[in-house]
PDB file of all heavy atoms in Angstrom:
ATOM      1  N   GLY A  12      -6.806  -6.904  10.224  1.00 91.00           N
ATOM      2  CA  GLY A  12      -7.811  -6.805  11.314  1.00 91.00           C
ATOM      3  C   GLY A  12      -7.598  -5.508  12.046  1.00 91.00           C
ATOM      4  O   GLY A  12      -7.911  -4.483  11.461  1.00 91.00           O
ATOM      5  N   ILE A  13      -7.218  -5.544  13.389  1.00 90.00           N
ATOM      6  CA  ILE A  13      -7.119  -4.269  14.178  1.00 90.00           C
ATOM      7  C   ILE A  13      -5.746  -4.095  14.448  1.00 90.00           C
ATOM      8  O   ILE A  13      -5.376  -3.209  15.354  1.00 90.00           O
ATOM      9  CB  ILE A  13      -8.037  -4.327  15.332  1.00 90.00           C
ATOM     10  CG1 ILE A  13      -7.607  -5.565  16.290  1.00 90.00           C
ATOM     11  CG2 ILE A  13      -9.496  -4.345  15.138  1.00 90.00           C
ATOM     12  CD1 ILE A  13      -8.145  -5.458  17.669  1.00 90.00           C
ATOM     13  N   THR A  14      -4.764  -4.644  13.719  1.00 87.00           N
ATOM     14  CA  THR A  14      -3.289  -4.313  13.899  1.00 87.00           C
ATOM     15  C   THR A  14      -2.716  -3.964  12.553  1.00 87.00           C
ATOM     16  O   THR A  14      -3.200  -4.415  11.548  1.00 87.00           O
ATOM     17  CB  THR A  14      -2.520  -5.485  14.345  1.00 87.00           C
ATOM     18  OG1 THR A  14      -2.568  -6.626  13.584  1.00 87.00           O
ATOM     19  CG2 THR A  14      -3.014  -5.899  15.766  1.00 87.00           C
ATOM     20  N   SER A  15      -1.794  -2.967  12.614  1.00 81.00           N
ATOM     21  CA  SER A  15      -1.068  -2.479  11.397  1.00 81.00           C
ATOM     22  C   SER A  15       0.014  -3.490  10.951  1.00 81.00           C
ATOM     23  O   SER A  15       0.698  -4.112  11.774  1.00 81.00           O
ATOM     24  CB  SER A  15      -0.516  -1.116  11.800  1.00 81.00           C
ATOM     25  OG  SER A  15       0.352  -0.718  10.750  1.00 81.00           O
ATOM     26  N   GLY A  16       0.111  -3.572   9.582  1.00 67.00           N
ATOM     27  CA  GLY A  16       1.253  -4.356   9.052  1.00 67.00           C
ATOM     28  C   GLY A  16       2.580  -3.668   9.365  1.00 67.00           C
ATOM     29  O   GLY A  16       3.698  -4.290   9.239  1.00 67.00           O
ATOM     30  N   ALA A  17       2.641  -2.441   9.824  1.00 68.00           N
ATOM     31  CA  ALA A  17       3.758  -1.740  10.147  1.00 68.00           C
ATOM     32  C   ALA A  17       4.111  -1.838  11.597  1.00 68.00           C
ATOM     33  O   ALA A  17       5.317  -1.889  11.992  1.00 68.00           O
ATOM     34  CB  ALA A  17       3.767  -0.199   9.877  1.00 68.00           C
ATOM     35  N   ASP A  18       3.095  -1.974  12.569  1.00 68.00           N
ATOM     36  CA  ASP A  18       3.321  -2.089  13.944  1.00 68.00           C
ATOM     37  C   ASP A  18       2.107  -2.911  14.549  1.00 68.00           C
ATOM     38  O   ASP A  18       1.121  -2.462  14.824  1.00 68.00           O
ATOM     39  CB  ASP A  18       3.342  -0.709  14.637  1.00 68.00           C
ATOM     40  CG  ASP A  18       3.399  -0.719  16.082  1.00 68.00           C
ATOM     41  OD1 ASP A  18       3.672  -1.809  16.735  1.00 68.00           O
ATOM     42  OD2 ASP A  18       3.146   0.253  16.699  1.00 68.00           O
ATOM     43  N   ASN A  19       2.468  -4.229  14.646  1.00 70.00           N
ATOM     44  CA  ASN A  19       1.359  -5.105  15.164  1.00 70.00           C
ATOM     45  C   ASN A  19       1.220  -5.085  16.674  1.00 70.00           C
ATOM     46  O   ASN A  19       0.465  -5.919  17.194  1.00 70.00           O
ATOM     47  CB  ASN A  19       1.531  -6.475  14.620  1.00 70.00           C
ATOM     48  CG  ASN A  19       2.853  -7.220  14.909  1.00 70.00           C
ATOM     49  OD1 ASN A  19       3.523  -6.686  15.857  1.00 70.00           O
ATOM     50  ND2 ASN A  19       3.127  -8.289  14.415  1.00 70.00           N
ATOM     51  N   ASP A  20       1.982  -4.329  17.330  1.00 79.00           N
ATOM     52  CA  ASP A  20       1.846  -4.228  18.872  1.00 79.00           C
ATOM     53  C   ASP A  20       0.624  -3.322  19.151  1.00 79.00           C
ATOM     54  O   ASP A  20       0.133  -3.492  20.281  1.00 79.00           O
ATOM     55  CB  ASP A  20       3.162  -3.700  19.466  1.00 79.00           C
ATOM     56  CG  ASP A  20       4.168  -4.575  19.381  1.00 79.00           C
ATOM     57  OD1 ASP A  20       4.028  -5.842  19.242  1.00 79.00           O
ATOM     58  OD2 ASP A  20       5.462  -4.142  19.406  1.00 79.00           O
ATOM     59  N   PHE A  21       0.210  -2.419  18.367  1.00 86.00           N
ATOM     60  CA  PHE A  21      -0.879  -1.498  18.664  1.00 86.00           C
ATOM     61  C   PHE A  21      -2.116  -2.089  18.213  1.00 86.00           C
ATOM     62  O   PHE A  21      -2.251  -2.544  17.065  1.00 86.00           O
ATOM     63  CB  PHE A  21      -0.613  -0.200  18.017  1.00 86.00           C
ATOM     64  CG  PHE A  21      -1.556   0.892  18.478  1.00 86.00           C
ATOM     65  CD1 PHE A  21      -1.310   1.728  19.598  1.00 86.00           C
ATOM     66  CD2 PHE A  21      -2.806   1.034  17.721  1.00 86.00           C
ATOM     67  CE1 PHE A  21      -2.203   2.713  19.916  1.00 86.00           C
ATOM     68  CE2 PHE A  21      -3.656   1.999  18.100  1.00 86.00           C
ATOM     69  CZ  PHE A  21      -3.385   2.828  19.314  1.00 86.00           C
ATOM     70  N   LYS A  22      -3.062  -2.176  19.045  1.00 92.00           N
ATOM     71  CA  LYS A  22      -4.424  -2.758  18.769  1.00 92.00           C
ATOM     72  C   LYS A  22      -5.436  -1.488  18.604  1.00 92.00           C
ATOM     73  O   LYS A  22      -5.709  -0.781  19.609  1.00 92.00           O
ATOM     74  CB  LYS A  22      -4.989  -3.645  19.873  1.00 92.00           C
ATOM     75  CG  LYS A  22      -3.997  -4.760  20.189  1.00 92.00           C
ATOM     76  CD  LYS A  22      -3.922  -5.837  19.070  1.00 92.00           C
ATOM     77  CE  LYS A  22      -3.101  -6.962  19.485  1.00 92.00           C
ATOM     78  NZ  LYS A  22      -2.129  -7.332  18.574  1.00 92.00           N
ATOM     79  N   TYR A  23      -5.874  -1.383  17.378  1.00 94.00           N
ATOM     80  CA  TYR A  23      -6.839  -0.265  17.049  1.00 94.00           C
ATOM     81  C   TYR A  23      -8.274  -0.382  17.605  1.00 94.00           C
ATOM     82  O   TYR A  23      -8.605  -1.601  17.676  1.00 94.00           O
ATOM     83  CB  TYR A  23      -6.830   0.012  15.586  1.00 94.00           C
ATOM     84  CG  TYR A  23      -5.628   0.671  14.975  1.00 94.00           C
ATOM     85  CD1 TYR A  23      -4.452  -0.139  14.713  1.00 94.00           C
ATOM     86  CD2 TYR A  23      -5.612   1.951  14.685  1.00 94.00           C
ATOM     87  CE1 TYR A  23      -3.368   0.404  14.171  1.00 94.00           C
ATOM     88  CE2 TYR A  23      -4.463   2.457  13.983  1.00 94.00           C
ATOM     89  CZ  TYR A  23      -3.409   1.714  13.860  1.00 94.00           C
ATOM     90  OH  TYR A  23      -2.235   2.238  13.272  1.00 94.00           O
ATOM     91  N   LYS A  24      -8.794   0.636  18.028  1.00 96.00           N
ATOM     92  CA  LYS A  24     -10.288   0.584  18.358  1.00 96.00           C
ATOM     93  C   LYS A  24     -11.055   1.134  17.227  1.00 96.00           C
ATOM     94  O   LYS A  24     -10.639   2.154  16.590  1.00 96.00           O
ATOM     95  CB  LYS A  24     -10.490   1.420  19.686  1.00 96.00           C
ATOM     96  CG  LYS A  24      -9.851   0.852  20.878  1.00 96.00           C
ATOM     97  CD  LYS A  24      -9.757   1.792  22.044  1.00 96.00           C
ATOM     98  CE  LYS A  24      -8.787   2.897  21.771  1.00 96.00           C
ATOM     99  NZ  LYS A  24      -8.586   3.862  22.784  1.00 96.00           N
ATOM    100  N   ILE A  25     -12.107   0.510  16.833  1.00 97.00           N
ATOM    101  CA  ILE A  25     -12.936   0.858  15.752  1.00 97.00           C
ATOM    102  C   ILE A  25     -13.986   1.963  16.294  1.00 97.00           C
ATOM    103  O   ILE A  25     -14.571   1.844  17.336  1.00 97.00           O
ATOM    104  CB  ILE A  25     -13.684  -0.218  15.008  1.00 97.00           C
ATOM    105  CG1 ILE A  25     -12.538  -1.258  14.562  1.00 97.00           C
ATOM    106  CG2 ILE A  25     -14.601   0.232  13.891  1.00 97.00           C
ATOM    107  CD1 ILE A  25     -13.093  -2.494  13.946  1.00 97.00           C
ATOM    108  N   ASN A  26     -14.148   3.016  15.525  1.00 98.00           N
ATOM    109  CA  ASN A  26     -15.116   4.072  15.893  1.00 98.00           C
ATOM    110  C   ASN A  26     -14.747   4.855  17.155  1.00 98.00           C
ATOM    111  O   ASN A  26     -15.600   5.543  17.650  1.00 98.00           O
ATOM    112  CB  ASN A  26     -16.545   3.547  15.893  1.00 98.00           C
ATOM    113  CG  ASN A  26     -17.048   2.971  14.688  1.00 98.00           C
ATOM    114  OD1 ASN A  26     -16.781   3.534  13.654  1.00 98.00           O
ATOM    115  ND2 ASN A  26     -17.697   1.740  14.727  1.00 98.00           N
ATOM    116  N   GLU A  27     -13.501   4.818  17.499  1.00 97.00           N
ATOM    117  CA  GLU A  27     -12.996   5.633  18.665  1.00 97.00           C
ATOM    118  C   GLU A  27     -11.703   6.298  18.317  1.00 97.00           C
ATOM    119  O   GLU A  27     -11.086   5.867  17.384  1.00 97.00           O
ATOM    120  CB  GLU A  27     -12.814   4.615  19.920  1.00 97.00           C
ATOM    121  CG  GLU A  27     -13.987   4.026  20.453  1.00 97.00           C
ATOM    122  CD  GLU A  27     -13.646   3.013  21.571  1.00 97.00           C
ATOM    123  OE1 GLU A  27     -12.706   3.410  22.428  1.00 97.00           O
ATOM    124  OE2 GLU A  27     -14.306   1.967  21.799  1.00 97.00           O
ATOM    125  N   VAL A  28     -11.390   7.211  19.040  1.00 98.00           N
ATOM    126  CA  VAL A  28     -10.095   7.958  18.812  1.00 98.00           C
ATOM    127  C   VAL A  28      -8.934   7.044  19.362  1.00 98.00           C
ATOM    128  O   VAL A  28      -9.039   6.590  20.459  1.00 98.00           O
ATOM    129  CB  VAL A  28     -10.128   9.281  19.633  1.00 98.00           C
ATOM    130  CG1 VAL A  28      -8.751   9.896  19.339  1.00 98.00           C
ATOM    131  CG2 VAL A  28     -11.106  10.174  19.077  1.00 98.00           C
ATOM    132  N   ASN A  29      -8.059   6.772  18.410  1.00 96.00           N
ATOM    133  CA  ASN A  29      -6.841   6.067  18.802  1.00 96.00           C
ATOM    134  C   ASN A  29      -5.691   7.140  18.870  1.00 96.00           C
ATOM    135  O   ASN A  29      -5.516   7.843  17.987  1.00 96.00           O
ATOM    136  CB  ASN A  29      -6.455   4.975  17.610  1.00 96.00           C
ATOM    137  CG  ASN A  29      -7.419   3.930  17.525  1.00 96.00           C
ATOM    138  OD1 ASN A  29      -7.456   3.049  18.201  1.00 96.00           O
ATOM    139  ND2 ASN A  29      -8.472   4.043  16.705  1.00 96.00           N
ATOM    140  N   VAL A  30      -4.952   7.009  19.929  1.00 96.00           N
ATOM    141  CA  VAL A  30      -3.834   7.958  20.196  1.00 96.00           C
ATOM    142  C   VAL A  30      -2.510   7.219  20.151  1.00 96.00           C
ATOM    143  O   VAL A  30      -2.312   6.291  20.808  1.00 96.00           O
ATOM    144  CB  VAL A  30      -3.942   8.726  21.617  1.00 96.00           C
ATOM    145  CG1 VAL A  30      -2.985   9.567  21.754  1.00 96.00           C
ATOM    146  CG2 VAL A  30      -5.368   9.397  21.640  1.00 96.00           C
ATOM    147  N   SER A  31      -1.623   7.757  19.336  1.00 93.00           N
ATOM    148  CA  SER A  31      -0.313   7.117  19.196  1.00 93.00           C
ATOM    149  C   SER A  31       0.503   7.261  20.487  1.00 93.00           C
ATOM    150  O   SER A  31       0.568   8.250  21.078  1.00 93.00           O
ATOM    151  CB  SER A  31       0.483   7.741  17.960  1.00 93.00           C
ATOM    152  OG  SER A  31       1.769   7.174  17.895  1.00 93.00           O
ATOM    153  N   ASN A  32       1.207   6.208  20.846  1.00 89.00           N
ATOM    154  CA  ASN A  32       2.075   6.279  21.992  1.00 89.00           C
ATOM    155  C   ASN A  32       3.534   6.655  21.553  1.00 89.00           C
ATOM    156  O   ASN A  32       4.439   6.716  22.411  1.00 89.00           O
ATOM    157  CB  ASN A  32       2.095   4.949  22.727  1.00 89.00           C
ATOM    158  CG  ASN A  32       2.400   3.781  21.854  1.00 89.00           C
ATOM    159  OD1 ASN A  32       2.902   3.949  20.781  1.00 89.00           O
ATOM    160  ND2 ASN A  32       1.959   2.476  22.359  1.00 89.00           N
ATOM    161  N   ASN A  33       3.698   6.929  20.269  1.00 88.00           N
ATOM    162  CA  ASN A  33       5.011   7.408  19.743  1.00 88.00           C
ATOM    163  C   ASN A  33       4.687   8.452  18.708  1.00 88.00           C
ATOM    164  O   ASN A  33       4.207   8.106  17.705  1.00 88.00           O
ATOM    165  CB  ASN A  33       5.788   6.149  19.207  1.00 88.00           C
ATOM    166  CG  ASN A  33       7.108   6.647  18.537  1.00 88.00           C
ATOM    167  OD1 ASN A  33       7.561   7.726  18.868  1.00 88.00           O
ATOM    168  ND2 ASN A  33       7.598   5.798  17.654  1.00 88.00           N
ATOM    169  N   TRP A  34       5.052   9.691  18.942  1.00 93.00           N
ATOM    170  CA  TRP A  34       4.726  10.831  17.967  1.00 93.00           C
ATOM    171  C   TRP A  34       5.943  11.757  18.046  1.00 93.00           C
ATOM    172  O   TRP A  34       6.126  12.448  18.947  1.00 93.00           O
ATOM    173  CB  TRP A  34       3.331  11.403  18.311  1.00 93.00           C
ATOM    174  CG  TRP A  34       3.101  12.536  17.400  1.00 93.00           C
ATOM    175  CD1 TRP A  34       3.068  13.922  17.721  1.00 93.00           C
ATOM    176  CD2 TRP A  34       2.827  12.485  15.923  1.00 93.00           C
ATOM    177  NE1 TRP A  34       2.691  14.667  16.638  1.00 93.00           N
ATOM    178  CE2 TRP A  34       2.605  13.839  15.527  1.00 93.00           C
ATOM    179  CE3 TRP A  34       2.827  11.496  14.970  1.00 93.00           C
ATOM    180  CZ2 TRP A  34       2.314  14.162  14.171  1.00 93.00           C
ATOM    181  CZ3 TRP A  34       2.505  11.776  13.715  1.00 93.00           C
ATOM    182  CH2 TRP A  34       2.276  13.087  13.334  1.00 93.00           C
ATOM    183  N   ASN A  35       6.739  11.803  16.984  1.00 90.00           N
ATOM    184  CA  ASN A  35       7.800  12.605  16.893  1.00 90.00           C
ATOM    185  C   ASN A  35       7.909  13.198  15.491  1.00 90.00           C
ATOM    186  O   ASN A  35       8.846  12.688  14.595  1.00 90.00           O
ATOM    187  CB  ASN A  35       9.209  12.042  17.267  1.00 90.00           C
ATOM    188  CG  ASN A  35      10.264  12.913  17.228  1.00 90.00           C
ATOM    189  OD1 ASN A  35      10.369  14.063  16.925  1.00 90.00           O
ATOM    190  ND2 ASN A  35      11.520  12.249  17.518  1.00 90.00           N
ATOM    191  N   PRO A  36       7.103  14.187  15.083  1.00 86.00           N
ATOM    192  CA  PRO A  36       7.000  14.608  13.696  1.00 86.00           C
ATOM    193  C   PRO A  36       8.292  15.297  13.225  1.00 86.00           C
ATOM    194  O   PRO A  36       8.382  15.572  12.034  1.00 86.00           O
ATOM    195  CB  PRO A  36       5.900  15.629  13.715  1.00 86.00           C
ATOM    196  CG  PRO A  36       5.816  15.997  15.102  1.00 86.00           C
ATOM    197  CD  PRO A  36       6.171  14.943  16.044  1.00 86.00           C
TER     198      PRO A  36
END
Side-chain angles (χ1 to χ4, degrees):
I13 58 168
T14 61
S15 168
D18 175 11
N19 60 11
D20 291 334
F21 188 91
K22 306 290 185 230
Y23 287 77
K24 297 171 279 183
I25 300 172
N26 298 318
E27 294 181 36
V28 176
N29 295 274
V30 180
S31 177
N32 50 21
N33 175 22
W34 178 246
N35 181 4

